[in-house]
Amino acid sequence: MFIPVALALLDFAPVFFLSLGLFFLAQLVERLDPRCRRMALAGFALVMLGGLARAASNLALAISGESIPVLSTTLYVFCGPGFTLMGAALIRGRATTLGRRVVRDPWFAPTAFSWLVLLLAFYLNATTEGDAWKGALLGLGLAGCIATVFAAASLGLRRQLHMAAALFLLNLIGISAVLGLQILVDQNLWTQLVGELLSLAAEAAFAFAAWRVAAEYHARIGPTAATR
């Protein structure tokens, strides 16, 4: 019992680093386009809550042998829209750095798209058997995650932060590897340990890269730089 509980506790570490990285990116968005501040913070909060709920569900499963369906489902329901909001906010921030002023409401497109996918997932859950509804929400989360990573990496490249951009790419590779392990490989303690370590490394790289990019933009557009 000790090893499954230890692995479940380890599951909280990637959530911490992912949340930390998203918090740094939300602060970056606030500096680049203040209109998107709340949208970025909402994305950060949704992803963090979804990740914590899933980790808590895994811990309950390791201790009692039974998961908590509401908590495990929260990951899919919250993380997809959360990453979509964060990705949209970063894309708007990047547009600002390119001198492209976008006047339309920043909330409309990501919110409408998220609700469409959520309604599709609800329909699939009500009309079909299996986990097709999870696939729809997982697709939304992956699309939002890819948009977030590529927008953040692009912002890093604009400041010649090649290592940060490479770490963002490694984050995507790590996430893909973890998903591949979960889908294609029979689950046991060893595969779970490898998956946890890959996830931890990927999210730690994401957090460091996000901090580096956010710090660089803060240094370049802060009060001191602006008065030069």
Side-chain angles (χ1 to χ4, degrees):
M1 179 178 177
F2 172 76
I3 295 178
V5 172
L7 288 175
L9 289 172
L10 184 61
D11 202 27
F12 284 90
V15 177
F16 168 77
F17 284 111
L18 173 60
S19 301
L20 188 62
L22 291 175
F23 176 77
F24 289 137
L25 293 181
Q27 298 303 306
L28 172 60
V29 168
E30 180 180 6
R31 291 193 291 272
L32 297 179
D33 191 342
R35 297 173 300 169
C36 296
R37 171 180 175 272
R38 292 182 179 179
M39 187 165 71
L41 288 174
F44 151 71
L46 287 172
V47 174
M48 181 180 66
L49 290 174
L52 287 175
R54 177 60 179 271
S57 176
N58 289 341
L59 181 59
L61 177 63
I63 294 174
S64 66
E66 296 183 3
S67 63
I68 303 175
V70 173
L71 292 181
S72 59
T73 302
T74 299
L75 173 72
Y76 299 96
V77 176
F78 280 13
C79 283
F83 272 119
T84 302
L85 290 174
M86 179 61 75
L90 280 169
I91 290 172
R92 288 287 291 260
R94 180 179 177 275
T96 300
T97 65
L98 297 174
R100 303 170 185 168
R101 180 170 177 78
V102 184
V103 296
R104 63 178 180 273
D105 184 358
W107 287 86
F108 178 76
T111 303
F113 186 67
S114 296
W115 272 110
L116 284 174
V117 177
L118 285 170
L119 290 173
L120 172 63
F122 179 79
Y123 173 78
L124 291 173
N125 185 46
T127 59
T128 63
E129 297 181 356
D131 294 332
W133 66 274
K134 288 184 180 180
L137 293 177
L138 182 61
L140 175 65
L142 286 175
C145 181
I146 291 171
T148 297
V149 168
F150 273 96
S154 177
L155 287 168
L157 289 175
R158 286 184 59 80
R159 292 290 192 246
Q160 305 300 314
L161 300 176
H162 299 100
M163 185 180 73
L167 288 175
F168 281 125
L169 178 60
L170 285 175
N171 171 259
L172 274 185
I173 294 174
I175 291 173
S176 301
V178 171
L179 287 175
L181 277 176
Q182 293 176 348
I183 296 173
L184 302 176
V185 180
D186 293 335
Q187 296 300 296
N188 55 51
L189 290 179
W190 286 109
T191 56
Q192 289 179 32
L193 177 59
V194 171
E196 292 291 349
L197 293 178
L198 280 174
S199 181
L200 178 58
E203 301 308 350
F206 177 82
F208 179 82
W211 167 77
R212 187 69 187 88
V213 173
E216 178 68 12
Y217 273 86
H218 179 70
R220 295 296 183 89
I221 66 176
T224 302
T227 56
R228 290 178 182 174

